[in-house]
Amino acid sequence: MPHPDFKPLSLMSAHPVAATAEPWTSLPYADVPRYDARTVLSQWQRLHAGHPLPPPAGDHPLADGWALYHSGQFERAATLGLLHGPEGLVLANQATAIYANYLEPRESVRLSMFRQVIERAGAQATAEPDNCQALYWQAYALGRYSQGISVARALAQGLGTKLKGALERVIELQPNHADAHIALAAFHAEVIDKVGALVGRMTYGVRADMSTELFERGLALHPHAPNALMEYGRALLMLHGDERLGEATQLYEKAAALEPVDAKDRLDVELARAGLTD
């Protein structure tokens, strides 16, 4: 079981190079579930259990775009999403952020992609303050970008406050948004681990008991999310150290044993397996 760190959870090794227009790295697994527009719509609620989103019409090109995303064709999904204005931004931002976090091997490119999502989603959230998807993907990208530049530096720049506010607004608007609960829970744990419980509570309004409460709520809403199980395991180690190693390991084991429903799940399951062997 690895000790938690603050680098993006990625299956690819990262090394700093200049951003290029090279094709995105392909998904390295042949056993990923595959979808077309019809099957992705028939499985929509299951595929979007962590972040409720109305499905596109069956004859809308975005149905094909979401099929590409869930099948692991992230670059094509992001490109298609950007062709369809504000309605397609959630697809473009989700595909870009997930690809950057799990598969992009170049640190500079990864951070650039997160900044793109932060800017696009942030602009949409400014124009549409109640757009849960824009707020969530802005927060997700802020979190991963912050981990990439170091949590301490991100907190000093005020990114943590922005992230926390966005996620709290998502939960206020959409109380059943499991992924927002998990992301906010992880934020509480990471800040406490970095600056301590007292400073974390007084400066950033984070608490260990709130982290646990948010994790439990998120997993109650979406109990078969491998990423949520791993984040909870990492948080237990950040908040309590090796005394909770057994529980953290059990959470990783549960994540590793899940049957992936799509490409992101497949990546998460692989991460869980890798974590157990470290």
Side-chain angles (χ1 to χ4, degrees):
M1 181 73 191
H3 189 275
D5 60 32
F6 293 106
K7 296 179 181 179
L9 297 173
S10 175
L11 288 163
M12 307 297 286
S13 60
H15 52 89
V17 299
T20 70
E22 295 178 11
W24 293 11
T25 298
S26 298
L27 198 73
Y29 310 114
D31 59 347
V32 172
R34 302 296 178 182
Y35 293 92
D36 57 23
R38 180 185 61 80
T39 55
V40 83
L41 291 174
S42 70
Q43 297 292 316
W44 188 264
Q45 296 303 319
R46 181 170 175 241
L47 290 168
H48 292 261
H51 46 279
L53 176 71
D59 58 351
H60 196 288
L62 285 176
D64 293 312
W66 282 108
L68 290 169
Y69 168 81
H70 288 294
S71 300
Q73 298 186 54
F74 299 122
E75 185 173 16
R76 292 178 62 194
T79 300
L80 191 151
L82 289 174
L83 295 175
H84 292 279
E87 189 179 1
L89 274 183
V90 59
L91 172 60
N93 288 336
Q94 185 165 336
T96 302
I98 295 305
Y99 166 79
N101 189 61
Y102 290 89
L103 292 172
E104 174 51 54
R106 299 159 295 175
E107 184 68 8
S108 62
V109 178
R110 175 188 290 134
L111 293 178
S112 176
M113 287 180 162
F114 288 137
R115 287 194 297 268
Q116 290 173 16
V117 174
I118 291 166
E119 291 168 5
R120 289 195 304 244
Q124 189 174 29
T126 298
E128 307 170 39
D130 293 345
N131 187 319
C132 286
Q133 298 301 322
L135 288 165
Y136 176 75
W137 288 108
Q138 178 192 32
Y140 181 97
L142 279 168
R144 295 312 192 199
Y145 179 78
S146 297
Q147 290 170 328
I149 66 171
S150 91
V151 170
R153 181 180 169 192
L155 291 173
Q157 293 178 5
L159 302 185
T161 300
K162 184 178 292 186
L163 182 159
K164 182 171 181 282
L167 290 173
E168 288 174 341
R169 182 59 176 157
V170 172
I171 292 171
E172 179 184 352
L173 292 168
Q174 204 168 60
N176 291 332
H177 199 298
D179 289 354
H181 284 81
I182 297 301
L184 186 55
F187 173 79
H188 279 253
E190 289 184 354
V191 173
I192 291 169
D193 183 78
K194 192 63 178 179
V195 305
L198 180 60
V199 174
R201 182 174 68 253
M202 295 181 65
T203 306
Y204 302 105
V206 297
R207 305 195 320 269
D209 61 339
M210 179 58 69
S211 177
T212 300
E213 181 180 325
L214 287 163
F215 272 121
E216 294 292 341
R217 175 59 177 160
L219 283 168
L221 290 167
H222 191 200
H224 304 299
N227 179 67
L229 294 164
M230 284 190 290
E231 290 285 11
Y232 197 4
R234 293 178 69 242
L236 288 176
L237 295 179
M238 285 189 278
L239 295 172
H240 306 288
D242 286 348
E243 67 182 75
R244 305 293 289 273
L245 179 60
E247 292 173 65
T249 300
Q250 288 178 356
L251 288 164
Y252 264 70
E253 289 172 343
K254 186 173 180 180
L258 289 172
E259 185 70 26
V261 301
D262 70 352
K264 180 185 179 297
D265 263 14
R266 179 66 180 85
L267 291 162
D268 281 325
V269 168
E270 194 67 26
L271 272 176
R273 293 170 180 169
L276 290 168
T277 60
D278 287 347

